[in-house]
Amino acid sequence: MYELLMVLLANNGRCIYCNEPSQVMDHVIPFAQGGADSLTNLVPACDTCNNLKGDKTPPEWFMSIELRDRWCGNNGAPQGPGPSLRSLYEDTHHQCLDILDRIDEVLAEIANPRRRSWFFDRYWHAASRPPRWRIAFWRGMVAEKAQEAEAAGWPPLPPPPPPKRYRIDRSQIGRLLVEIPPDETD
Ligand SMILES: [Zn+2]
């Protein structure tokens, strides 16, 4: 679960493809194409983009929709005079490189060891495969804290306080346990 939060809240909690709030983890290289099910291959996405992308890599997906919709329209027939398929391809190529840059940035954000520890230390205990409503609940609860932590440079958890120690106070009738002050040595 902490890994899910780490991915969903990267990129300011937005879908990497369309900038809507993220809902799921998207495999950059699709699982069906042999992509790893690991944090080096997972980015935040919305349901819609995740479904539309399906079993394609980001360049395959982007090229296919751009070239089909902008040059051909949805029925596959070229749309009158306009940019050639070649110039449209070159144009799309540059936009596609921008998307790949963004993916690299977000994967680097997710790999940041300080950020990773921050999520692990606080949320390692949460269920690993929670139902969707619980994901939305956790996401909402953690989003603001994560933003503050990012601004503070992902501070580590403070060390736990030392355990309390007691001694038996024999001056009392009955034996009373008295707490030993933390600064007192034996
Ligand atoms: Zn999206």
Side-chain angles (χ1 to χ4, degrees):
M1 175 71 167
Y2 83 94
E3 291 174 322
L4 183 63
L5 291 169
M6 273 174 64
V7 173
L8 288 188
L9 294 174
N11 194 40
N12 293 319
R14 304 246 151 211
C15 170
I16 199 159
Y17 306 113
C18 74
N19 226 33
E20 289 294 310
S22 59
Q23 293 164 298
V24 289
M25 298 196 286
D26 178 62
H27 291 82
V28 178
I29 307 294
F31 199 52
Q33 289 198 37
D37 196 23
S38 79
L39 290 174
T40 54
N41 190 41
L42 291 164
V43 289
C46 70
D47 267 331
T48 311
C49 289
N50 184 246
N51 284 333
L52 288 173
K53 178 170 169 279
D55 288 344
K56 294 191 177 79
T57 64
E60 285 169 341
W61 178 46
F62 196 62
M63 286 292 173
S64 67
I65 50 172
E66 287 293 302
L67 298 185
R68 183 197 65 202
D69 293 350
R70 287 173 61 196
W71 195 66
C72 292
N74 286 321
N75 61 5
Q79 294 173 334
S84 68
L85 194 52
R86 174 179 293 267
S87 69
L88 192 56
Y89 173 83
E90 281 166 355
D91 187 23
T92 308
H93 174 78
H94 288 292
Q95 292 173 29
C96 193
L97 288 176
D98 289 343
I99 291 184
L100 293 180
D101 283 344
R102 196 155 73 228
I103 289 175
D104 283 343
E105 280 168 27
V106 171
L107 286 175
E109 181 187 358
I110 292 169
N112 174 350
R114 285 182 69 93
R115 183 178 187 274
R116 222 169 149 144
S117 302
W118 189 88
F119 278 96
F120 177 79
D121 291 347
R122 288 159 182 81
Y123 306 109
W124 61 270
H125 55 279
S128 61
R129 290 188 186 278
R132 287 197 71 125
W133 67 269
R134 272 202 80 75
I135 297 175
F137 171 79
W138 276 92
R139 191 188 180 293
M141 209 171 67
V142 175
E144 205 173 313
K145 290 182 194 164
Q147 261 178 3
E148 286 168 12
E150 183 174 14
W154 304 109
L157 276 183
K164 288 184 174 179
R165 299 179 302 158
Y166 297 90
R167 75 163 71 90
I168 296 169
D169 183 351
R170 292 172 196 279
S171 66
Q172 309 280 338
I173 298 172
R175 288 177 175 174
L176 274 180
L177 283 180
V178 177
E179 190 180 338
I180 302 172
D183 52 345
E184 184 182 314
T185 50
D186 298 317

Coordinates of all heavy atoms in Angstrom, one line a residue, residues 15-21 45-50 61, ligand 1:
C15 N -2.5 12.5 -13.0 CA -2.2 11.6 -14.1 C -1.1 12.1 -15.0 O -1.1 13.3 -15.4 CB -3.5 11.4 -14.9 SG -3.2 10.5 -16.4
I16 N -0.1 11.3 -15.3 CA 1.0 11.7 -16.0 C 0.7 12.0 -17.5 O 1.4 12.8 -18.1 CB 2.1 10.6 -16.0 CG1 3.5 11.2 -16.3 CG2 1.8 9.4 -16.8 CD1 4.6 10.4 -15.8
Y17 N -0.4 11.5 -18.0 CA -0.8 11.7 -19.4 C -1.7 12.9 -19.6 O -1.6 13.5 -20.6 CB -1.4 10.4 -20.0 CG -0.5 9.2 -19.8 CD1 -0.9 8.2 -18.9 CD2 0.7 9.1 -20.4 CE1 -0.1 7.0 -18.7 CE2 1.6 8.0 -20.2 CZ 1.2 7.0 -19.4 OH 2.0 5.9 -19.2
C18 N -2.7 13.1 -18.7 CA -3.7 14.1 -18.9 C -3.8 15.1 -17.8 O -4.6 16.1 -17.9 CB -5.0 13.5 -19.2 SG -5.8 12.8 -17.7
N19 N -3.1 14.9 -16.7 CA -3.1 15.9 -15.6 C -4.4 15.9 -14.7 O -4.5 16.8 -13.9 CB -2.8 17.3 -16.1 CG -1.7 18.0 -15.2 OD1 -0.9 17.3 -14.6 ND2 -1.8 19.3 -15.0
E20 N -5.3 15.0 -14.9 CA -6.4 14.8 -14.0 C -5.9 14.1 -12.7 O -4.8 13.5 -12.8 CB -7.5 13.9 -14.7 CG -8.2 14.6 -15.8 CD -9.1 15.8 -15.3 OE1 -9.8 15.7 -14.4 OE2 -8.9 16.9 -15.9
P21 N -6.7 14.1 -11.6 CA -6.2 13.4 -10.4 C -5.9 11.9 -10.7 O -6.7 11.3 -11.4 CB -7.4 13.6 -9.4 CG -8.0 14.9 -9.9 CD -7.9 14.9 -11.4
A45 N -1.7 7.4 -13.0 CA -2.5 7.7 -14.1 C -4.0 7.7 -13.7 O -4.3 7.3 -12.6 CB -2.4 6.6 -15.2
C46 N -4.8 8.3 -14.5 CA -6.3 8.2 -14.2 C -6.8 7.0 -14.9 O -6.2 6.4 -15.7 CB -7.0 9.5 -14.8 SG -7.1 9.6 -16.5
D47 N -8.0 6.6 -14.5 CA -8.6 5.4 -15.0 C -8.8 5.4 -16.5 O -8.5 4.5 -17.2 CB -10.1 5.2 -14.4 CG -10.1 4.3 -13.2 OD1 -9.2 3.4 -13.1 OD2 -10.9 4.6 -12.3
T48 N -9.2 6.6 -17.0 CA -9.5 6.7 -18.5 C -8.2 6.5 -19.3 O -8.2 5.7 -20.2 CB -10.0 8.1 -18.8 OG1 -11.1 8.4 -17.9 CG2 -10.5 8.2 -20.2
C49 N -7.1 7.2 -18.9 CA -5.9 7.0 -19.7 C -5.3 5.6 -19.6 O -4.9 5.0 -20.5 CB -4.8 8.0 -19.2 SG -5.2 9.7 -19.6
N50 N -5.4 5.1 -18.3 CA -4.9 3.7 -18.1 C -5.7 2.7 -19.0 O -5.1 1.8 -19.6 CB -5.1 3.4 -16.6 CG -4.5 2.0 -16.3 OD1 -5.3 1.1 -15.9 ND2 -3.2 1.9 -16.4
W61 N 1.1 4.4 -27.9 CA -0.3 4.9 -27.7 C -0.4 6.3 -28.2 O -1.3 6.6 -29.0 CB -0.5 4.9 -26.1 CG -1.8 5.4 -25.8 CD1 -3.0 5.1 -26.3 CD2 -2.1 6.4 -24.7 NE1 -4.0 5.8 -25.7 CE2 -3.5 6.6 -24.7 CE3 -1.3 7.0 -23.8 CZ2 -4.1 7.5 -23.8 CZ3 -1.9 7.9 -22.9 CH2 -3.3 8.1 -22.9
Ligands
ZN1 ZN -5.3 10.7 -17.5

